Amino acid sequence: MKQKIKNMIYNASKDAYDKGTLPSSDFPEIEVEEPKTGSHGDFSTNISMIMASIQKMPPRKIAEAIIKNIKDPDGILDKTEIAGPGFVNFFLNKYSWHPVLRKIHDQDALYGSSNIGEGKKIQIEFVSANPTGPLHVGHGRGAAVGDSVANILLFCGYNVKKEYYVNDSGRQINTLGRSVFLRYKELFGADVQFPEDCYQGDYIRNLSKKVRAEKVRNDNGDKLLLMSEEEAITYCAHFAAKNILSEIKEDLESFGVVFDRWYSEQSLFDSGKVDRVINDFRKQNIIFEDNGALWFRTKDFGDEKNRVVVRSNGLTTYFASDIAYHQDKFDRGFEKIIDVWGADHHGYIPRISAAIEASGHTRDKFNVILIQLVNLLRNGEPVAMSTRSGEFVTLRDVISEVGSDAARFIFLTRHYESALDFDLELAKKKTNDNPVYYVQYVHARISSIVRKAQESGIGDITWNDAAISRLNEPEEVQLIKIMSRYPEIVRCSAENMEPHRITYYLMSLASAFHSYYNKHRVLTDEAELTFGRLYLVIAVKKIIRNGFALLGVSAPEKM
């Protein structure tokens, strides 16, 4: 509908120029907005004020010329008016909104989709937690955001691949192995001084017990203590990382997140890609040697200082493998890459951007979504957690307590750049205070209405001119107006990579439905009116289902 108004304004401006009313044919981009106040119409434009300097005319004179030349072939306008310094307000008649319903029913699961992506190949990498411990609540928010962004981009015509980067190399894996081995030794009575820099928590003890059970099964007795400490730690590291990664995959699948690829950091070393990229940059003098270490000239590309890629002891830094990994993404043909990181990684953006630019790619092909912290509450009170001591609430705990739907929806109720309060008790409530229940209940309620209608003998609900013409109550028109906005909401969500826009939209749609349902019966004594209202509420149901699909939330038929 907004595009129709834009077309009207453009055509009217062109006709006014052709008639000599407007002196210039230079028309700027037309912006049409929905006024916050209903008395200002359904749509409004400030084009007259924007054109004033071009046309060298007062804005109100321009507005008069536009209105005089407005053509309305579809008969959607009730009236137009000039307001204030030159705003043009458009008031639509209530029947002009009815075709929106037909579009929703005809497009069904594709309503809201578009091809703005034009098949552009995008890779989005998210979660990518080190396989050194279970996923926590913060990882859950990153998973919900990353997965939903991928869904939305795919729905808008992009070719999207989801990837998890497995940090299975380096110091943290060795520390994991040492932590498990020390707990393993305790199982055999050793008096162990457990270092503070080792991984804490009961999950390390559980892993050590699994190692013992595995060694007993495979060796017909224990031989791990007979190995050199280095061999034993390496064994424990590989065993523990494999087990933790397996549990991470299970947790993510139960959260509705499935990756197209799990990419091993170690594979970058095994394939020689890290050495190759370092050598290539050394030849270009982008990487140089100083005091026995190799440095990347990140400062030349806008970073605050140069960064080490290989230490003087010959060990590579995380930056070295990250350079190779991001270059490999482009080598695989991705036209744009999106990384989802925790907010504490903000300082890492300039150096990766520098590496990408040094590789010959423009910075606009690299985007980072930074996820702020989640404050876990119970009845408004903070839940005590300490990552250092290993005492934290895992994503598995949250899913088990409140369910995947509630967790995902609540994670997406705020912009990811804002901290989020997540109240476990609120997420379990079956009341309107719980945002996911509030929206899911609408879907289930409409499903119940449709079932009752079918039981009463009403057949397929299809377009019926007479029945649809009965939809003229203010609340009915308001519902259709809100539904007409859905494609624009999805498109803006894709363009800005902001899934919370859809969450907000669904809550506003649910609110409008509740207001309507509390005032009007859907199943009435008049067959024609009932048919029209069923057509209306089924359209609401379809949009809620579509929106939930993008957010990774189920749309229940019963509650």
Side-chain angles (χ1 to χ4, degrees), residues 78-93:
D78 192 15
K79 67 174 181 174
T80 57
E81 67 176 20
I82 302 172
F87 288 100
V88 180
N89 296 336
F90 296 84
F91 295 79
L92 277 60
N93 64 62

Side-chain angles (χ1 to χ4, degrees), residues 308-320:
V308 177
V309 289
V310 182
R311 299 183 182 92
S312 57
N313 60 7
L315 295 177
T316 56
T317 63
Y318 291 127
F319 186 38

Side-chain angles (χ1 to χ4, degrees), residues 344-359:
D344 56 338
H345 286 72
H346 181 270
Y348 207 64
I349 296 176
R351 71 188 74 173
I352 296 298
S353 298
I356 286 170
E357 187 175 346
S359 300

Side-chain angles (χ1 to χ4, degrees), residues 462-512:
T462 56
W463 181 272
N464 180 305
D465 287 332
I468 304 305
S469 68
R470 299 291 300 276
L471 300 175
N472 50 32
E473 294 289 348
E475 293 82 9
E476 291 168 335
V477 175
Q478 180 63 17
L479 260 181
I480 302 172
K481 285 182 181 179
I482 293 173
M483 287 191 279
S484 74
R485 297 179 196 142
Y486 181 66
E488 183 180 6
I489 294 293
V490 175
R491 189 186 72 251
C492 290
S493 296
E495 291 171 344
N496 296 284
M497 296 183 294
E498 294 176 343
H500 75 283
R501 291 172 181 255
I502 294 175
T503 312
Y504 284 168
Y505 170 83
L506 292 177
M507 292 171 69
S508 68
L509 178 61
S511 176

Side-chain angles (χ1 to χ4, degrees), residues 153-224:
L153 291 173
L154 187 65
F155 198 59
C156 290
Y158 292 90
N159 180 2
V160 184
K161 297 297 179 185
K162 297 181 286 187
E163 191 157 297
Y164 187 114
Y165 182 54
V166 183
N167 300 106
D168 54 359
S169 178
R171 182 175 56 83
Q172 84 278 2
I173 295 298
N174 183 267
T175 301
L176 173 66
R178 187 155 57 97
S179 304
V180 173
F181 181 60
L182 290 175
R183 293 303 188 197
Y184 177 87
K185 290 171 70 175
E186 286 181 338
L187 296 176
F188 292 89
D191 184 15
V192 174
Q193 295 297 315
F194 202 77
E196 286 190 6
D197 64 341
C198 282
Y199 292 106
Q200 312 292 321
D202 288 339
Y203 76 96
I204 295 294
R205 287 189 170 87
N206 293 335
L207 283 167
S208 69
K209 293 175 183 177
K210 287 184 178 180
V211 171
R212 180 177 65 177
E214 182 73 11
K215 293 303 293 179
V216 168
R217 182 165 59 252
N218 290 345
D219 298 336
N220 196 28
D222 183 67
K223 294 183 181 178
L224 195 60

Side-chain angles (χ1 to χ4, degrees), residues 194-375:
F194 202 77
E196 286 190 6
D197 64 341
C198 282
Y199 292 106
Q200 312 292 321
D202 288 339
Y203 76 96
I204 295 294
R205 287 189 170 87
N206 293 335
L207 283 167
S208 69
K209 293 175 183 177
K210 287 184 178 180
V211 171
R212 180 177 65 177
E214 182 73 11
K215 293 303 293 179
V216 168
R217 182 165 59 252
N218 290 345
D219 298 336
N220 196 28
D222 183 67
K223 294 183 181 178
L224 195 60
L225 293 176
L226 302 178
M227 295 181 182
S228 69
E229 186 167 288
E230 183 180 353
E231 287 179 311
I233 288 174
T234 299
Y235 177 90
C236 288
H238 291 160
F239 181 92
K242 182 179 178 181
N243 273 262
I244 291 172
L245 191 61
S246 177
E247 291 187 358
I248 286 174
K249 288 182 179 180
E250 289 178 9
D251 290 348
L252 289 171
E253 286 178 6
S254 70
F255 200 47
V257 179
V258 177
F259 288 94
D260 297 297
R261 183 169 183 177
W262 294 73
Y263 195 107
S264 163
E265 179 187 9
Q266 185 60 44
S267 72
L268 291 167
F269 293 96
D270 296 341
S271 64
K273 290 179 180 178
V274 175
D275 289 338
R276 193 153 52 246
V277 75
I278 289 174
N279 291 333
D280 287 345
F281 280 131
R282 290 194 72 177
K283 290 175 184 176
Q284 301 172 58
N285 197 31
I286 294 173
I287 289 180
F288 66 95
E289 185 176 350
D290 184 36
N291 290 328
L294 296 182
W295 298 73
F296 196 106
R297 296 186 188 276
T298 40
K299 195 172 181 180
D300 291 353
F301 297 92
D303 197 7
E304 61 182 5
K305 62 182 180 180
N306 294 326
R307 306 289 179 174
V308 177
V309 289
V310 182
R311 299 183 182 92
S312 57
N313 60 7
L315 295 177
T316 56
T317 63
Y318 291 127
F319 186 38
S321 50
D322 280 339
I323 295 170
Y325 178 47
H326 284 81
Q327 183 159 309
D328 180 73
K329 294 182 181 188
F330 288 112
D331 290 344
R332 284 185 273 155
F334 292 109
E335 300 170 72
K336 185 173 185 176
I337 58 178
I338 302 167
D339 288 0
V340 180
W341 299 344
D344 56 338
H345 286 72
H346 181 270
Y348 207 64
I349 296 176
R351 71 188 74 173
I352 296 298
S353 298
I356 286 170
E357 187 175 346
S359 300
H361 303 283
T362 55
R363 290 177 180 239
D364 61 351
K365 293 184 177 180
F366 173 58
N367 291 85
V368 177
I369 292 174
L370 293 174
I371 308 293
Q372 283 290 347
L373 296 174
V374 177
N375 304 311

